[in-house]
Amino acid sequence: FFIGLYVLVGAGALMTTVGFFGCCGAARESQCLLGAFFACLLVIFAAEVTAGVFAFIGKKVAIQEAQKIYEDIYDDYTKNPGGKVNRTIYHYHVALKCCGKDNMEQQMGLPCPENNCLVEIQNIIDANLHLVGIVGIAIAGITIFGMIFSMVLCCAIRNTRDMI
């Protein structure tokens, strides 16, 4: 749980630093700061591409982990149906429009849709992974746009200094 928080704090600090380089470089017309801004954007772009590749390569692992989380919650629910896990399992079933992890629920007479949740988890991840890819491509495009503008501004600064 805390690892995700640390990653978000680290990413925020990195983006603050990158923004500082870009703003100060543009305001002071500093080629050094604009070059640092470009280098930071290049590193961020490389990280985005790497994360995207790992996301598509590791799709099966992500599906297995999500299914394992559901199975653990479901097993806790079957051991203690009146506990705290009852609300969690209920929200899973409502959100995914599924019930259980096999067809035992229908055999026990529980009112359940035909789909089991393990199949639905896989279907949801498969269906929505392209949205993650589209967002990643859009962010990478914005990053490339920032890199282009930082280099254009850096060259313009150099050209105006050469004229003086």
Side-chain angles (χ1 to χ4, degrees), residues 63-142:
I63 291 171
Q64 290 170 349
E65 285 298 316
Q67 288 174 336
K68 184 181 181 316
I69 290 169
Y70 176 79
E71 286 177 337
D72 292 343
I73 292 171
Y74 186 80
D75 291 341
D76 287 346
Y77 169 71
T78 55
K79 290 176 189 170
N80 184 12
K84 292 189 299 189
V85 181
N86 191 12
R87 292 188 62 185
T88 305
I89 205 81
Y90 173 76
H91 289 299
Y92 256 105
H93 292 170
V94 169
L96 297 176
K97 295 181 181 81
C98 65
C99 188
K101 59 183 186 176
D102 50 28
N103 290 329
M104 289 300 292
E105 289 76 19
Q106 273 100 14
Q107 294 172 6
M108 292 168 45
L110 295 174
C112 292
E114 291 185 21
N115 298 336
N116 73 50
C117 287
L118 298 180
V119 172
E120 283 302 311
I121 288 170
Q122 180 174 355
N123 292 342
I124 295 258
I125 291 175
D126 283 338
N128 294 322
L129 193 60
H130 72 282
L131 291 175
V132 174
I134 290 169
V135 169
I137 289 170
I139 291 171
I142 292 169

